[in-house]
Structure formats: C-alpha cells, structure tokens
Amino acid sequence: MLEMTREAFEELVSEALDRIPPELTRVMDNVAVFVEDEPDPSDPELLGLYEGTPLTERGEWYAGVLPDRISIYMGPTLRHCATTAEVVHEVAVTVVHEVAHHFGIEDERLHELGWG
C-alpha cells in the first residue's frame, strides 16, 4: 500500500476542492467535506461518500438542518493507487464525484461524463 501522511492527503483534498470552478462553489450550500481513514466495513473499498439532501431536492422545508457531509476515505484511496500521481488524480475525481452528488447528479450520469 502506498504511504502518505494524513496532512498530505488532506492537502490533496483541499487542492481538489480549490479546482472546482468558483461559479459552482458559490452555490454550494450547507455542505462540509471531511477526510476519514476508512469507510463503513460493509463497503471497505469506497473512496468517497455524499450524505445529505442534494440542492435539486431542497424545498421550502429545508431549513435548520445539519450540513450535508462529503467524506473522502484515505485508506481505500491509498490501497487503490500505486503512485502519488495516481492518488492526486483519484482524489480529484472522487472530490468532483461527491460534490456532483451535492448538485443532484447521479452515479450513472457521472460515469457517462468520466467522473465515475
């Protein structure tokens, strides 16, 4: 397994978020991004997870709720990649993938667009 410090991995996640166009980040609402060591044991190779209510499904009822949560999982990402360059790429893809879920884009469409 490729080794990387948590600090270095968190920096990659931060850099991936910084590459999202400002016109999109301006409309992101009530969402927090976290780096976690491992996903739920029921899906040990999961690289990222979006939990919440996508922007496209929010209505008048959406108020006073906890932020949506995007988790990027360090362990599976490092196990999946053989080089640091692969980690950089995979983190970027995973971040975009999970942020897209915040915007209501489903997995099938993300795969069609190459962000699967």
Side-chain angles (χ1 to χ4, degrees):
M1 179 171 96
L2 186 67
E3 291 192 27
M4 179 177 284
T5 66
R6 184 177 183 93
E7 182 178 275
F9 191 85
E10 288 174 351
E11 183 62 28
L12 293 179
V13 171
S14 179
E15 290 170 3
L17 287 166
D18 288 345
R19 286 194 294 271
I20 295 172
E23 56 271 17
L24 293 178
T25 57
R26 277 194 293 274
V27 296
M28 290 176 67
D29 182 48
N30 201 31
V31 61
V33 179
F34 298 92
V35 170
E36 304 287 345
D37 291 331
E38 295 290 337
D40 187 281
S42 66
D43 197 356
E45 295 308 311
L46 187 66
L47 303 181
L49 179 66
Y50 169 76
E51 299 171 286
T53 304
L55 294 174
T56 54
E57 296 178 16
R58 296 179 185 180
E60 292 180 16
W61 59 268
Y62 189 86
V65 299
L66 291 173
D68 292 0
R69 180 182 181 96
I70 292 174
S71 299
I72 308 299
Y73 299 110
M74 184 173 161
T77 303
L78 295 179
R79 288 192 296 275
H80 179 76
C81 299
T83 67
T84 301
E86 286 180 16
V87 174
V88 170
H89 175 76
E90 196 59 57
V91 166
V93 168
T94 303
V95 167
V96 167
H97 183 102
E98 301 310 330
V99 167
H101 286 319
H102 176 67
F103 284 99
I105 303 171
E106 299 292 332
D107 279 332
E108 182 177 300
R109 181 66 179 138
L110 287 168
H111 286 278
E112 289 171 4
L113 295 170
W115 296 100

